[in-house]
Amino acid sequence: MTLLVAGTLLTGCSGQATGNAPERENTSAVAPSSASSATASAGDSPSTTATPSGASSAASTVFTPDASLVPKTSKDGRRLADAVVLAPVDWGRGYAARTPAASTPGTWAVLGEDCRWEREKLPRGVLASTSRYSRLAAVGGRGAVTVTAVATVHGSALGADEQLSTTLEEVLRCPEQRPRSAERITGLMSLGTPFGAREQQYADDSVLEAGTYAENGGAGQPYRWMVARLGTVVVAVSVTGGAGNTEQELNELGSKALAKMLTRIEQRLKGK
């Protein structure tokens, strides 16, 4: 699978989405019927951002998994999520695990009423969710790059669809969010793109969030949260880079990472 990076203007976008499945380090998506709406939040918006966009070898149709290979139990869901989600080495040379290196099994991230992210027990309908956290140390005048990869396996495509819908709603509700106690994301905006819209031909649905990330009260850094759904599986990556890392470089890093996880889904769920 090859994803082509395409520039996407978020400024001035507006719209609504439906659904009520929580998530952050995990992902969220919009159903094909509603994902075409874009959501804008209050606050400063990045002028131009990029979202992964492109085509697979069968660009005319979205991937259809072999029904016999689609996970139906928590055990099978966990096996798929663990196989799909990226480890530090998958991001490139020099990346190392953060502390903690991965999420607690049997949990996923939920955005509370106070706009803080907390991990809670997986709800009914979610088979498994795995998050892995990595970091590239600052070197040669470039600030550190912090990344997260997430794979969430649902019991149904509808459940996975609702997760993406929630992502758009969360930005409306919480344009400022706190992933961890010392971290803050501000000026969040999001854009949902279903399969076939704006040349998106790599997933059933996708969502891009963009904003500014700051840690321990430090300087703001570009933040990207890229989400995609194939059937019952939702994958996502977050990318944040310090001074010296351009937005284009960060966008390309996130796009390649997302493409790698989507390819892994296809490899494991395609028929003989």
Side-chain angles (χ1 to χ4, degrees):
M1 175 181 293
T2 301
L3 301 192
L4 305 177
V5 177
T8 303
L9 291 176
L10 292 181
T11 306
C13 295
S14 63
Q16 294 182 343
T18 59
N20 54 15
E23 268 267 61
R24 159 45 35 183
E25 290 157 358
N26 301 329
T27 55
S28 294
V30 187
S33 61
S34 60
S36 58
S37 62
T39 304
S41 67
D44 296 335
S45 62
S47 57
T48 304
T49 61
T51 182
S53 174
S56 66
S57 57
S60 60
T61 59
V62 72
F63 171 69
T64 301
D66 184 328
S68 67
L69 299 178
V70 175
K72 298 176 178 62
T73 67
S74 296
K75 181 179 180 180
D76 290 342
R78 180 63 188 274
R79 183 181 296 112
L80 178 61
D82 287 349
V84 167
V85 73
L86 301 186
V89 66
D90 296 318
W91 288 92
R93 181 179 300 177
Y95 280 86
R98 298 182 67 190
T99 302
S103 58
T104 302
T107 69
W108 73 345
V110 176
L111 184 64
E113 293 300 320
D114 60 355
C115 297
R116 294 175 181 269
W117 288 95
E118 302 290 344
R119 298 205 70 85
E120 295 185 1
K121 182 179 178 181
L122 291 175
R124 181 183 297 274
V126 179
L127 302 180
S129 185
T130 300
S131 300
R132 289 180 181 154
Y133 318 111
S134 307
R135 187 179 183 90
L136 178 66
V139 63
R142 286 175 173 260
V145 177
T146 302
V147 296
T148 297
V150 186
T152 301
V153 182
H154 291 259
S156 69
L158 178 60
D161 216 32
E162 290 177 346
Q163 186 188 339
L164 269 75
S165 298
T166 300
T167 293
L168 295 181
E169 291 182 335
E170 288 168 343
V171 170
L172 284 173
R173 178 168 68 87
C174 295
E176 179 176 321
Q177 301 175 7
R178 290 186 177 274
R180 301 184 185 185
S181 59
E183 300 174 347
R184 186 176 67 165
I185 303 171
T186 58
L188 276 172
M189 302 185 74
S190 64
L191 179 70
T193 307
F195 175 74
R198 292 185 284 274
E199 300 182 356
Q200 196 276 83
Q201 296 179 324
Y202 61 90
D204 292 320
D205 218 333
S206 67
V207 170
L208 166 71
E209 287 186 10
T212 301
Y213 169 92
E215 185 176 4
N216 295 317
Q221 305 170 11
Y223 170 83
R224 298 292 180 272
W225 178 247
M226 300 176 178
V227 187
R229 176 179 73 85
L230 278 181
T232 62
V233 186
V234 178
V235 290
V237 298
S238 69
V239 179
T240 302
N245 296 285
T246 68
E247 289 195 28
Q248 180 178 352
E249 290 170 334
L250 298 176
N251 288 329
E252 290 179 353
L253 176 65
S255 294
K256 290 178 180 178
L258 196 66
K260 186 175 294 187
M261 289 199 289
L262 290 171
T263 297
R264 289 180 176 182
I265 294 172
E266 291 195 7
Q267 290 173 339
R268 286 159 176 77
L269 298 185
K270 67 182 179 181
K272 296 291 185 179

